[in-house]
Amino acid sequence: GAHDAPAASNSDKREPRFGPPNARVDPSAEHPSWRLVELPPAAEWAPTAFDGRAASPILVLFRQEMRLADHPALHAAAATGRPVVPAFILPAPSEQGGWPLAGAAKLWLHHALNNLQHSLKAAYGSALVLRDGGGGGGGGGGLAALVALAEDVGAGSVYWNMCYEPWVREADDAAASVLSGMGMQVRTFHKVGTWRG
């Protein structure tokens, strides 16, 4: 009749975001990674010193991509056979282009970093080094935190994936200039699937 419900179309049969392919998933449900416990301080389980006989480490920055599978800078660093130091540096609020991290984005970042830390530990027995570029009382901004970290680990190279916001590109150019002036190799990589115009 005229009041019968329309038949389901193929467009109504969407794949869930996670879980088995045919499972019904509540789209408002939290991602399973949000239930991961926070790891103890890395000093309790990760290597704390580099072998002085090995080649100088490569510092790899994680920024907008909090995963291992499609991280060109990380893959390039690992392919060298040199020690790799994965790191995340929280930029100072003044370095966030007028949109300082807050609310849901801050919560997402917390869980994303925790999930990344678990992934690094499970895959490589490695730890993510975290630094605060200003908001936590350290001051000096992201560049100062990056320079201090590179010196702390004895990095010979620093790799990162490109970001395309104008204020980030300006900060990246400044960082590359300072690090190169200190004798470090700087390499940047296009993210997977980005346009390279």
Side-chain angles (χ1 to χ4, degrees):
H3 299 291
D4 291 343
S9 68
N10 286 338
S11 63
D12 294 331
K13 298 175 183 175
R14 297 184 180 97
E15 290 290 315
R17 291 180 300 147
F18 49 83
N22 297 321
R24 290 232 176 251
V25 178
D26 177 0
S28 66
E30 65 185 27
H31 191 274
S33 66
W34 285 40
R35 296 186 182 272
L36 291 172
V37 298
E38 291 189 29
L39 291 170
E44 296 178 17
W45 53 267
T48 56
F50 295 104
D51 183 346
R53 297 166 296 177
S56 60
I58 300 173
L59 181 61
V60 176
L61 298 181
F62 282 78
R63 303 191 305 173
Q64 297 171 347
E65 56 297 292
M66 301 295 175
R67 56 196 176 272
L68 306 182
D70 56 348
H71 195 292
L74 178 65
H75 295 181
T80 68
R82 292 163 56 191
V84 175
V85 180
F88 174 83
I89 298 173
L90 181 66
S94 62
E95 299 171 325
Q96 296 177 27
W99 292 281
L101 196 65
K106 201 172 206 177
L107 183 64
W108 174 87
L109 179 61
H110 169 81
H111 287 289
L113 289 170
N114 185 41
N115 190 51
L116 178 58
Q117 187 80 283
H118 275 270
S119 298
L120 286 164
K121 182 181 180 188
Y124 305 111
S126 181
L128 182 68
V129 179
L130 301 171
R131 291 289 185 269
D132 189 337
L143 177 55
L146 173 57
V147 168
L149 178 57
E151 289 179 326
D152 286 349
V153 303
S157 303
V158 183
Y159 290 7
W160 63 73
N161 293 333
M162 291 181 68
C163 294
Y164 302 98
E165 298 86 351
W167 60 90
V168 179
R169 294 188 75 164
E170 185 177 321
D172 285 354
D173 290 345
S177 177
V178 169
L179 295 169
S180 297
M182 297 171 64
M184 294 181 216
Q185 176 200 40
V186 176
R187 290 190 64 195
T188 61
F189 299 82
H190 285 280
K191 296 177 189 177
V192 174
T194 57
W195 179 68
R196 301 183 186 204

